[in-house]
Amino acid sequence: MNPDTLEPIRTQFSSYHPYTKNKLTAKPTILHPMAAEDQSAKTNADNAPSGLHEPAITASPIETEKTSTKTAAKKSKTTASKVNNGSSASKISEKLAKLGLRKDMDFVLHLPMRYEDETEIVNMRDASFRGGSSVQVEGIVSECDIQYRPRRQLVVTIADDTGQVVLRFLNFYGNQTKQMAVGIRIRARGELRHGFFGAEMVHPHYKVVNEGAPLPTALTPVYPSGEGLPQALLRKAIVNAMTRVHCHDTLSPARLSALGLQDFESSIRILHNPPSEVDQYSLIEREHPAWERMKFDELLAQQLSLKRAQISRRSKGANALPLVGELSNAFLLNLPFSLTKAQEKVLAEIRADLREAFPMQRLLQGDVGSGKTIVAALAAAQAIDNGFQAALMAPTEILAEQHFRKIAAWLEPLGVKTAWLTGSLKKKEKDAANALITSGEAQLVIGTHALIQDSVQFKKLGLVIVDEQHRFGVSQRLNLANKTEAGKVPHQLMMSATPIPRTLAMTYYADLEVSVIDELPPGRTPIVTRVIDQNRRDEVIARVQAAGQEGKQVYWVCPLIEESETLQLQTATDTHAMLAEALPELRVGLVHGRLKPAEKQATMEAFIRNESQVLVATTVIEVGVDVPNASLMVIEHAERFGLSQLHQLRGRVGRGAAASACLLLYQGPLGGTAKQRLATMRESNDGFEIARKDLELRGPGEFLGARQSGEAMLRFANLETDQWLVEKARNLADDLLKNDPATVIAHLERWLGYKEEFLRV
């Protein structure tokens, strides 16, 4: 390999250091946060407190390639050596990038996830009474053996004057037997438990020490890491990065005083390198003033970014759609039911937005069955009344088809031309649909991801409706929004059947207007939920048989198609065969993601027409499927589903007059979180309460799902406990955006940098 191929790697590293003034030459230095750039950096690193000192990593792949003034010596190095050095450094760089560590400030803001107390050595007799807790012991190796029963493992026994502890390594390298040879002094830290041979630690942290080696005087930080990134490497990288970064404060002393916050630099230094006198409890529980400052800054950056995105959108032009005309009025008059008060309220909010000459960006949320589809159809009717096209995009063909059937049945009798576009259509059908869309003859277009293909061109797109918006990535929503005339942005209505708790609406959705349908249409029957052990499966099948014989229909949901020994989940195909054999008098259908669209559609239509009484399905029926005669839902291996997914699946029944039930089959033993999920489902039908509990169990990142693709998550703030900081951050964000744009830019650059671009859609 030619040494010049290393050039991109070197350039990549150097770009992370804006403070570096040296220009790249033919033989540039690879710059990296692990590399001390000058002697002062080395001195500062050497003087770091003991909590940041770790034994050097042997042959670390991230060692800086040194630029030597001795050109002859430099040239004598082999090409292979250079390539290996560059390649290994690049691999470490890639691993660090996965953690979001690219620039010096990224390392500075890579804060500890917890702290370990390495300030105390516990003698082995006392340690033996602390089973189940983490302790640090020190002793001389008395035995070091590789054992083969029940599996290959390294077993090391260390002893002091009071007793002994066994260190057990199930995964180990051959050289560890030399590191921990008999007579070597070892300091080990880990969770102590009582095994067959007495007190033991499994895979403890350990180091070889000399007798009397000093202990740290303060807590040792433990950082979020990844494979191939040991703590010692991260600690050294962070110490070196801090020597190169000027941690100036983005907020003025007057603002800090008014907010009661600590300054930024001292906060950072306390968190990375806690002094011996620090209140350890407040540090570990993230209640220390230094943590409060980090949480506030993070929340402020999020609020600033979202509000800037909102301001940016409002600065763009959209076609005002003020007319609520003949179509909208006829539509309402022809409905066989009246809108609920909640539906009327959100419809008024949407209509007010559509009258504006800047693009609507509204999230319509409501519980399962609350009537979001009718509100979306009325919004589409307003766009059509004003001479514009409307598009509705759904994540699956089943959901898109449900929308098409329902909305076309409402609007086509009123003279509205609708078009249907999905990826499974034949070329001739796609071409025909595209022709209708391009000419403008199709006033309402409903489909899946196919709507965002380059070949699809709208004549006059005025409104985009995205159902289950959290299932679409940022770029997908942006592609559909861009399919309008130059200089104009269509109005956007995003729908979600997963209610968003107020704390999230104020933070992650601060850039959107939020409408909530908080009541169900009259006549909906409550769903009784039961949690049943898998061993009572025969009783459940008997219940299914009884329901089918009474003329009712049943869903039976399985989570996987293919066999998985590790998860031990019953497959949909096996369940279908089992139920078909057990219920010969009933017709059992099967639908899953691997079926061809035509087969899937035929199976669903048969179920809708009551030609099949039982539908075995994967989660493709999670949203949108509306069969009023279905009154029993069986969910197999319910412990494997998330709360919101269970609630969505349960919402497929209870849509008619018959009493409905949801049976959650589980396989024990259950973990703590699974128990809480199933208990919540049994006790509540309230989507907002379930969403609140789901947020509590999973945290905002997992709860929000695909909305966060590319978007900066909160790493430090907790929306449950730090709500008081959210309010302060919102208020300051409004003030800074109006009066101090320089501070806005400086703060966002520090906390978000390149990530802010993902908030622009």
Side-chain angles (χ1 to χ4, degrees):
M1 184 182 292
N2 192 304
D4 291 340
T5 58
L6 290 176
E7 191 62 28
I9 297 173
R10 297 186 177 107
T11 305
Q12 177 189 8
F13 275 108
S14 66
S15 68
Y16 296 156
H17 297 274
Y19 309 109
T20 304
K21 297 179 181 179
N22 298 332
K23 294 183 179 179
L24 286 175
T25 63
K27 302 289 184 184
T29 301
I30 295 181
L31 296 176
H32 192 278
M34 283 293 292
E37 292 186 336
D38 53 33
Q39 187 60 37
S40 64
K42 181 179 185 305
T43 303
N44 289 335
D46 290 342
N47 292 334
S50 55
L52 287 171
H53 272 303
E54 290 287 334
I57 301 172
T58 306
S60 168
I62 202 165
E63 285 296 324
T64 307
E65 183 186 41
K66 297 177 181 178
T67 303
S68 174
T69 55
K70 299 179 180 180
T71 308
K74 184 76 173 179
K75 288 182 178 179
S76 69
K77 291 186 177 180
T78 64
T79 299
S81 174
K82 292 180 186 177
V83 170
N84 288 337
N85 286 342
S87 175
S88 57
S90 177
K91 287 178 182 177
I92 293 296
S93 176
E94 289 173 6
K95 291 177 181 179
L96 290 169
K98 287 180 180 178
L99 293 178
L101 304 179
R102 295 174 173 84
K103 302 180 296 184
D104 280 340
M105 186 53 73
D106 296 334
F107 284 82
V108 172
L109 294 177
H110 193 66
L111 300 179
M113 61 180 180
R114 68 176 191 275
Y115 295 88
E116 291 182 344
D117 186 357
E118 297 180 352
T119 62
E120 177 188 22
I121 297 290
V122 180
N123 69 55
M124 295 187 189
R125 181 184 58 201
D126 292 344
S128 66
F129 294 111
R130 299 191 188 182
S133 60
S134 185
V135 295
Q136 183 170 242
V137 296
E138 184 177 313
I140 303 295
V141 176
S142 59
E143 293 182 57
C144 180
D145 298 308
I146 296 177
Q147 299 180 0
Y148 292 90
R149 291 184 181 180
R151 55 171 289 181
R152 186 173 184 269
Q153 55 188 301
L154 176 63
V155 180
V156 180
T157 303
I158 60 173
D160 65 8
D161 295 337
T162 66
Q164 66 180 30
V165 170
V166 173
L167 312 181
R168 193 177 300 276
F169 301 88
L170 305 180
N171 298 298
F172 60 94
Y173 296 103
N175 66 350
Q176 284 181 269
T177 58
K178 296 179 181 178
Q179 283 182 344
M180 293 182 281
V182 173
I184 297 293
R185 179 175 290 274
I186 297 291
R187 184 176 292 172
R189 186 180 188 282
E191 182 180 329
L192 190 137
R193 66 186 191 186
H194 293 284
F196 188 74
F197 297 104
E200 70 173 21
M201 295 178 180
V202 179
H203 283 289
H205 298 285
Y206 74 91
K207 63 177 76 173
V208 176
V209 295
N210 296 320
E211 186 174 3
L215 290 165
T217 58
L219 296 176
T220 301
V222 179
Y223 295 98
S225 186
E227 185 179 356
L229 294 175
Q231 288 294 311
L233 185 149
L234 283 171
R235 287 173 189 149
K236 186 176 179 183
I238 290 166
V239 167
N240 287 337
M242 289 182 68
T243 65
R244 295 189 292 267
V245 170
H246 177 56
C247 295
H248 63 277
D249 217 304
T250 56
L251 302 180
S252 67
R255 284 199 174 99
L256 291 179
S257 177
L259 293 165
L261 293 173
Q262 189 168 289
D263 71 279
F264 180 80
E265 183 169 5
S266 65
S267 298
I268 280 290
R269 297 199 178 280
I270 286 172
L271 295 177
H272 282 302
N273 182 23
S276 56
E277 69 274 9
V278 74
D279 179 353
Q280 294 189 5
Y281 177 83
S282 67
L283 201 66
I284 292 169
E285 294 299 317
R286 298 196 169 193
E287 296 173 357
H288 192 279
W291 274 120
E292 286 183 3
R293 176 60 200 273
M294 294 302 107
K295 292 175 182 180
F296 179 84
D297 275 19
E298 180 181 51
L299 286 165
L300 178 61
Q302 185 199 51
Q303 291 294 307
L304 287 171
S305 185
L306 290 170
K307 289 176 183 294
R308 282 217 316 181
Q310 186 181 49
I311 292 168
S312 174
R313 290 190 193 108
R314 292 203 166 204
S315 68
K316 298 174 182 176
N319 292 297
L321 310 174
L323 180 63
V324 178
E326 185 177 339
L327 174 62
S328 298
N329 293 326
F331 184 9
L332 271 176
L333 287 173
N334 287 339
L335 286 176
F337 53 84
S338 299
L339 299 183
T340 63
K341 294 293 184 185
Q343 287 173 317
E344 290 177 348
K345 176 175 67 73
V346 300
L347 179 60
E349 293 168 347
I350 292 168
R351 283 180 168 173
D353 283 355
L354 293 176
R355 294 188 187 102
E356 301 292 344
F358 55 81
M360 172 178 74
Q361 193 82 5
R362 185 169 288 275
L363 173 66
L364 172 60
Q365 57 169 323
D367 207 347
V368 177
S370 60
K372 297 180 294 297
T373 305
I374 188 68
V375 173
L378 284 162
Q382 185 169 338
I384 296 168
D385 269 333
N386 286 270
F388 287 87
Q389 294 169 294
L392 191 157
M393 183 168 70
T396 67
E397 287 204 12
I398 287 180
L399 179 53
E401 186 178 356
Q402 290 282 329
H403 283 315
F404 181 72
R405 287 174 177 272
K406 189 177 290 186
I407 297 175
W410 288 333
L411 295 181
E412 285 190 343
L414 301 176
V416 174
K417 180 68 175 178
T418 58
W420 163 250
L421 185 61
T422 67
S424 67
L425 292 180
K426 295 177 181 177
K427 185 177 185 303
K428 185 176 180 180
E429 295 171 318
K430 284 183 182 177
D431 290 344
N434 279 329
L436 292 174
I437 296 168
T438 304
S439 68
E441 185 179 346
Q443 298 161 291
L444 174 62
V445 184
I446 299 174
T448 57
H449 303 73
L451 294 180
I452 62 177
Q453 293 175 349
D454 291 339
S455 59
V456 180
Q457 297 296 325
F458 289 81
K459 183 178 182 181
K460 204 174 181 184
L461 182 60
L463 172 65
V464 168
I465 302 167
V466 181
D467 195 13
E468 291 301 302
Q469 57 87 30
H470 61 280
R471 294 192 176 198
F472 292 97
V474 170
S475 60
Q476 290 172 318
R477 299 201 305 272
L478 185 60
N479 284 344
L480 187 55
N482 286 339
K483 289 183 176 290
T484 186
E485 59 196 278
K488 297 288 186 180
V489 177
H491 298 280
Q492 291 189 60
L493 177 64
M494 291 162 286
M495 299 196 293
S496 175
T498 302
I500 310 299
R502 179 175 177 272
T503 50
L504 288 189
M506 290 171 59
T507 50
Y508 292 99
Y509 291 88
D511 58 327
L512 305 179
E513 280 72 43
V514 180
S515 292
V516 181
I517 302 178
D518 53 9
E519 66 175 307
L520 295 176
R524 287 294 174 95
T525 57
I527 303 167
V528 177
T529 303
R530 295 284 181 263
V531 179
I532 301 175
D533 191 290
Q534 185 83 12
N535 295 328
R536 297 171 60 192
R537 188 186 185 90
D538 290 344
E539 297 174 36
V540 174
I541 293 174
R543 177 88 177 262
V544 170
Q545 184 177 32
Q549 290 173 342
E550 292 170 6
K552 299 172 183 175
Q553 290 173 277
V554 181
Y555 294 104
W556 189 299
V557 177
C558 302
L560 287 183
I561 302 169
E562 296 175 349
E563 193 65 43
S564 169
E565 292 181 0
T566 54
L567 297 180
Q568 297 180 353
L569 299 178
Q570 186 70 40
T571 65
T573 48
D574 286 349
T575 301
H576 174 260
M578 180 271 297
L579 289 175
E581 182 179 349
L583 305 169
E585 70 279 16
L586 302 179
R587 185 177 173 188
V588 182
L590 172 63
V591 62
H592 55 71
R594 294 282 182 89
L595 286 180
K596 294 180 179 178
E599 295 175 307
K600 202 181 298 182
Q601 183 177 342
T603 304
M604 290 303 303
E605 286 179 351
F607 190 67
I608 290 168
R609 292 194 300 265
N610 201 6
E611 293 173 3
S612 61
Q613 292 72 50
V614 181
L615 182 64
V616 177
T618 57
T619 55
V620 293
I621 57 106
E622 182 183 340
V623 290
V625 178
D626 189 0
V627 182
N629 192 50
S631 60
L632 179 60
M633 167 68 70
V634 180
I635 303 176
E636 194 150 16
H637 285 283
E639 76 277 5
R640 296 288 180 180
F641 290 91
L643 255 180
S644 62
Q645 202 173 27
L646 287 172
H647 184 58
Q648 293 293 318
L649 288 166
R650 179 172 62 182
R652 298 310 102 209
V653 296
R655 293 171 172 256
S660 297
C662 177
L663 307 182
L664 303 177
L665 281 174
Y666 72 90
Q667 181 169 342
L670 292 177
T673 302
K675 284 181 181 177
Q676 290 184 63
R677 280 200 298 263
L678 297 183
T680 300
M681 287 295 296
R682 185 180 62 236
E683 295 163 5
S684 178
N685 274 295
D686 183 345
F688 285 89
E689 172 58 25
I690 288 170
R692 187 197 65 76
K693 187 66 177 179
D694 202 18
L695 171 63
E696 180 183 313
L697 290 175
R698 293 198 289 165
E702 202 178 338
F703 180 91
L704 291 169
R707 169 158 171 86
Q708 301 309 324
S709 53
E711 186 174 321
M713 292 297 299
L714 292 176
R715 294 178 290 165
F716 313 125
N718 182 314
L719 295 180
E720 290 293 315
T721 58
D722 299 322
Q723 192 58 38
W724 63 285
L725 285 173
V726 175
E727 299 284 357
K728 285 186 175 184
R730 289 180 71 202
N731 294 336
L732 182 58
D734 289 334
D735 178 45
L736 292 176
L737 286 166
K738 290 177 185 175
N739 304 312
D740 196 348
T743 294
V744 171
I745 292 170
H747 197 81
L748 287 175
E749 173 61 27
R750 169 172 289 174
W751 281 91
L752 289 183
Y754 66 94
K755 302 168 195 166
E756 196 190 4
E757 65 194 63
F758 291 100
L759 301 175
R760 298 296 182 201
V761 298

